[in-house]
């Protein structure tokens, strides 16, 4: 069945929620530089995951929050950002709206590290004030061990893992001809730099550079969706078992 909330009529939503569907997934990203990959990398990846697990979780997928909190990469061409208070208030209002629709369980699928802190606060406030169940999933952190096992390293911003997912989605989103290893910068501890001197940010020195193997990228995408789905299914099951 159609899982995208904005593709359904209000009549269909009234029929489904909460009678047969009580879970909604909200993808959240930002618009910023990702080496030679597309500016929308942090948007597309949570959408891929949400779309991949919606049926399994019997969830609807809400329209994506495309703009987020971009800091160190803001100056690179095309970067956009939202003030943290504005972002928090906006996402908070969306969560309240989803609760008012009748959803009992909300999964925020975050695609951007700059959103982490704000989403944590928004989710905690929403849970406390509306007695709702909400999980914020930062997919690259949740899948750290899986990614390391799959590739032999942990990837990075616009690195092996992110590049693989957008490559699997649409090869045109990752420009091999424009790629230059000098776009990469190892994120050493002990320095905060604005703008950061690179648009591919490595978590380990010398590791995590993008690959351009489409077959392997598709395998990683599928493994990523499976891993996040396993976790989300466990969380939902525990919530229901507890009577929430």
């Amino acid at each position: 069945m159609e899982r995208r909330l904005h593709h359904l009529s209000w009549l269909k939503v009234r029929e489904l929620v909460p009678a047969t569907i009580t879970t909604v997934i909200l993808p959240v990203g930002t618009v910023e530089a990702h080496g030679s990959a597309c500016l929308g990398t942090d948007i597309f990846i949570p959408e891929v995951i949400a779309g991949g697990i919606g049926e399994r979780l019997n969830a609807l997928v809400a329209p994506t929050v495309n703009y987020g909190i971009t800091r160190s990469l803001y100056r690179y061409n095309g970067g956009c950002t939202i003030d943290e208070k504005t972002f928090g208030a906006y996402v908070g209002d969306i969560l309240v709206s989803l609760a008012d629709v009748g959803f009992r369980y909300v999964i925020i699928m975050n695609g951007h590290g700059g959103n982490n802190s704000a989403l944590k606060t928004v989710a905690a406030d929403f849970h406390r004030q509306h007695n709702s169940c909400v999980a914020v999933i930062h997919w690259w952190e949740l899948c750290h061990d899986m990614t390391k096992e799959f590739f032999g390293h942990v990837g990075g911003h616009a690195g092996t893992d992110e590049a693989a997912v957008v490559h699997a989605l649409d090869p045109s989103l990752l420009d091999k001809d424009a790629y230059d290893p000098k776009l990469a910068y190892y994120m050493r501890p002990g320095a905060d730099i604005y703008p950061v001197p690179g648009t591919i940010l490595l978590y380990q020195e010398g590791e995590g550079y993008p690959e351009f193997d489409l077959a392997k990228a598709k395998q990683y995408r599928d493994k990523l969706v499976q891993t996040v789905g396993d976790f989300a299914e466990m969380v939902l099951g525990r919530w229901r078992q507890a009577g929430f």
Side-chain angles (χ1 to χ4, degrees):
M1 63 168 283
E2 176 60 65
R3 294 285 171 177
R4 292 168 293 182
L5 178 66
H6 50 303
H7 284 239
L8 302 174
S9 71
W10 73 273
L11 298 165
K12 189 64 175 179
V13 174
R14 183 178 65 179
E15 173 189 332
L16 294 173
V17 183
T20 59
I21 296 178
T22 55
T23 302
V24 64
I25 307 170
L26 174 65
V28 181
T30 201
V31 179
E32 70 174 12
H34 280 79
S36 67
C38 61
L39 289 164
T41 293
D42 289 347
I43 297 168
F44 292 132
I45 296 177
E47 288 181 339
V48 166
I49 298 170
I53 66 176
E55 189 76 28
R56 176 179 178 180
L57 302 183
N58 189 31
L60 296 185
V61 179
T64 303
V65 177
N66 291 308
Y67 295 97
I69 302 168
T70 299
R71 294 189 176 95
S72 60
L73 291 161
Y74 175 65
R75 288 279 299 280
Y76 290 95
N77 300 67
C80 298
T81 192
I82 302 296
D83 177 81
E84 186 166 347
K85 291 183 179 179
T86 303
F87 175 81
Y90 182 67
V91 174
D93 283 348
I94 294 172
L95 295 180
V96 172
S97 297
L98 294 173
D100 286 345
V101 169
F103 293 107
R104 294 174 57 193
Y105 311 116
V106 181
I107 297 172
I108 300 175
M109 195 62 61
N110 181 33
H112 173 57
N115 296 338
N116 288 23
S117 178
L119 289 177
K120 181 179 179 179
T121 299
V122 169
D125 290 345
F126 173 68
H127 166 65
R128 183 174 62 252
Q129 294 169 10
H130 296 274
N131 200 31
S132 296
C133 294
V134 57
V136 185
I137 295 178
H138 314 296
W139 70 266
W140 65 100
E141 294 181 0
L142 180 71
C143 297
H144 175 279
D145 292 343
M146 182 277 290
T147 298
K148 187 172 183 178
E149 179 181 350
F150 187 91
F151 287 113
H153 53 259
V154 296
H157 170 89
T160 318
D161 48 350
E162 286 197 318
V165 184
V166 294
H167 193 196
L169 174 63
D170 181 349
S172 71
L173 299 177
L174 182 65
D175 190 345
K176 184 176 182 179
D177 293 335
Y179 170 68
D180 183 346
K182 294 180 181 178
L183 292 169
Y185 169 71
Y186 166 48
M187 293 288 286
R188 300 167 182 82
D192 297 310
I193 306 171
Y194 301 91
V196 67
T199 56
I200 299 170
L201 307 180
L202 306 180
Y203 302 148
Q204 297 289 335
E205 188 171 11
E207 296 182 353
Y209 294 92
E211 299 177 1
F212 296 88
D213 184 332
L214 182 57
K216 190 173 182 181
K218 291 180 178 179
Q219 291 172 1
Y220 178 73
R221 174 203 58 196
D222 293 345
K223 184 68 173 177
L224 174 64
V225 170
Q226 178 69 41
T227 302
V228 176
D230 288 346
F231 178 77
E233 188 173 50
M234 179 275 294
V235 171
L236 288 167
R238 294 289 185 90
W239 279 341
R240 294 184 177 113
Q241 189 175 32
F244 296 139

